[in-house]
Amino acid sequence: MKLHEYQAKELFGRYDLPVPEGQVAETEEDGLRIAEKLGCPVAVKAQVHAGGRGKAGGVRLARSQEEAREAVQTILGMTLQTAQTGGQGKIVRKILLEKGVDIEHEYYLSILPDRATASLMIIGSTEGGMNIEEVAATTPEKIIRVRVNPLTGLQPFHLRRMAFGLGLTGDPFKKFCVLLSNLYRAVTENDLLLAEINPLARTSDGAFVLLDAKAEVDSSALFRHKDLAALHDSGEEDPLEAEAKKYGLNYIRLDGTIGNMVNGAGLAMATMDMIKQAGAEPANFLDVGGGADAEMIENGFRILLSDPKVEAILINIFGGILRCDVLATGVVEAARKIGLSLPVVVRMEGTNVEEGRKILADSGLDLISATDLQDAAEKIGKIATAAAAH
């Protein structure tokens, strides 16, 4: 689960990490009041779950109250499009206003799991404020990596290695070591999958300030962190993904036109591969799970039909705990309630498959039956080709 910048800074502030004085606004009136209270220069920053906000016009530095007014009016309510927001972009419903900071140098700092080595990776660079992927590609020598064994934890030599790598000495060296130690504690105590500070600013007096902050909490650990779970912003989710979550469905929206419903993540991946090999593109990943009932199937089918980009649906179920007759009942009930205006190809095998096929056949609905996955993919491919021709 991703946190907004202001939420991440509130969390990091509990660990004595230095963040700028600031406040969140959801209306133009509040934004202008906060800007006047903080005084100029003031940074006005869009609060959406995406990087690259500055390049897209979502972050502005105002050096006067007039500039602050213009920034607040422009950013609040805008549709922000970055490389991470997708084609539709995201509407800015909140802005963070922060007091300006006198910056002497900017660094990059992050902590995240390194699954290849089962360690926590600390990444630092003297090139803060830049796209870190670009820095790694063009000047890899400017990226410092320090791996920490989570069983033994952060040690003083880890702190020294990163601080020396960033070229720090004297008082800034000591302050940075304290900062990194506190950041590591914030990561481990809150089950964070990512803590990123970009940029981490060093001021003229040698102090450090977190100018930006990203944090992502492991969703599987939210039961341990009720306070963080309460920070979830459903407005940042795709509406269909949020709807699916309410019914315990694993749904991810994609860019294609073929909606698909399966039971099992592995089967979902194989089904999407078969759709692509047939010359079509999947519109979603929808795994109803092994223990789905007729109601879950009905809700999943309704969500697929709710996507305006979907031109056809492929249902691919291997009946085990989820029996084929249960699947068929859910599909028939959903189609009758909502109406069936799209071609639907159904392939099912496993427990009670004959009963399931009979339910579909007796429904009177125009459903296309497939004998196996290859047959289903070929049929969905022909449907997609015909749709593209029109």
Side-chain angles (χ1 to χ4, degrees):
M1 185 190 83
K2 294 180 180 179
L3 300 182
H4 284 296
E5 176 189 358
Y6 75 93
Q7 294 170 332
K9 285 180 174 176
E10 287 175 3
L11 172 62
F12 293 155
R14 299 178 206 166
Y15 290 83
D16 294 325
L17 291 165
V19 297
E21 181 184 355
Q23 200 170 338
V24 176
E26 297 185 38
T27 65
E28 181 181 329
E29 181 182 0
D30 284 345
L32 297 178
R33 177 182 54 78
I34 295 168
E36 186 174 354
K37 174 185 174 184
L38 293 175
C40 292
V42 61
V44 183
K45 312 169 84 172
Q47 296 299 284
V48 296
H49 290 164
R53 294 170 299 162
K55 294 180 181 178
V59 177
R60 293 194 180 190
L61 180 64
R63 301 186 181 280
S64 67
Q65 287 300 321
E66 186 56 38
E67 289 183 4
R69 175 183 294 276
E70 182 184 353
V72 169
Q73 292 174 339
T74 301
I75 296 175
L76 193 59
M78 75 183 296
T79 299
L80 191 68
Q81 288 188 315
T82 76
Q84 297 180 18
T85 59
Q88 295 181 335
K90 291 190 175 183
I91 298 174
V92 179
R93 296 181 174 86
K94 298 178 183 178
I95 54 174
L96 172 64
L97 294 95
E98 291 184 326
K99 193 172 183 63
V101 175
D102 182 19
I103 303 170
E104 185 171 276
H105 191 82
E106 295 181 345
Y107 302 90
Y108 174 91
L109 181 64
S110 67
I111 303 177
L112 67 164
D114 179 19
R115 291 175 174 83
T117 60
S119 62
L120 283 172
M121 176 80 80
I122 305 174
I123 300 176
S125 176
T126 55
E127 304 302 301
M130 301 279 289
N131 185 321
I132 196 64
E133 292 83 5
E134 184 179 319
V135 174
T138 57
T139 53
E141 69 278 3
K142 293 183 178 179
I143 302 291
I144 303 102
R145 296 178 176 85
V146 176
R147 292 182 176 84
V148 179
N149 185 330
L151 297 178
T152 55
L154 189 69
Q155 303 297 321
F157 75 88
H158 293 129
L159 303 173
R160 291 194 297 269
R161 186 179 300 171
M162 180 57 68
F164 282 132
L166 295 177
L168 299 173
T169 58
D171 191 52
F173 177 97
K174 296 176 183 177
K175 290 179 179 176
F176 176 82
C177 289
V178 173
L179 182 150
L180 180 53
S181 179
N182 290 343
L183 182 62
Y184 183 88
R185 194 160 56 89
V187 169
T188 54
E189 292 183 5
N190 294 280
D191 293 297
L192 299 187
L193 294 176
L194 172 68
E196 182 180 67
I197 315 301
N198 187 30
L200 170 66
R202 190 184 78 230
T203 61
S204 55
D205 59 358
F208 289 95
V209 181
L210 282 62
L211 288 193
D212 193 9
K214 286 184 185 177
E216 183 173 349
V217 189
D218 186 345
S219 296
S220 300
L222 284 175
F223 70 95
R224 290 200 290 249
H225 308 286
K226 306 265 189 236
D227 57 332
L228 298 181
L231 300 178
H232 174 64
D233 185 353
S234 59
E236 287 290 309
E237 289 185 306
D238 181 284
L240 293 182
E241 292 184 12
E243 180 76 4
K245 193 174 291 183
K246 290 195 301 186
Y247 302 109
L249 301 170
N250 298 309
Y251 176 90
I252 299 173
R253 200 172 189 178
L254 303 174
D255 295 326
T257 60
I258 306 301
N260 65 94
M261 178 191 296
V262 304
N263 61 327
L267 186 58
M269 300 301 289
T271 302
M272 290 193 293
D273 286 345
M274 293 295 286
I275 290 172
K276 292 179 73 71
Q277 288 176 5
E281 291 292 331
N284 66 274
F285 172 106
L286 174 55
D287 171 17
V288 299
D293 55 22
E295 184 180 2
M296 291 177 69
I297 297 295
E298 179 184 333
N299 286 319
F301 194 65
R302 178 174 52 79
I303 288 169
L304 293 183
L305 291 173
S306 300
D307 188 342
K309 294 193 299 182
V310 170
E311 297 176 352
I313 294 174
L314 170 58
I315 299 175
N316 182 27
I317 297 293
F318 187 82
I321 300 174
L322 171 57
R323 305 191 316 266
C324 293
D325 57 326
V326 173
L327 165 78
T329 300
V331 170
V332 169
E333 289 178 0
R336 285 177 175 162
K337 285 182 181 179
I338 303 167
L340 194 59
S341 57
L342 303 175
V344 178
V345 177
V346 182
R347 177 263 180 177
M348 61 172 71
E349 286 292 347
T351 307
N352 293 357
V353 65
E354 294 305 327
E355 291 91 329
R357 287 172 179 164
K358 187 175 187 305
I359 291 171
L360 295 179
D362 294 345
S363 68
L365 298 171
D366 188 16
L367 301 169
I368 303 168
S369 181
T371 56
D372 55 31
L373 184 52
Q374 182 66 40
D375 182 40
E378 289 176 359
K379 287 178 176 175
I380 209 73
K382 289 178 182 178
I383 293 170
T385 302
H390 288 85

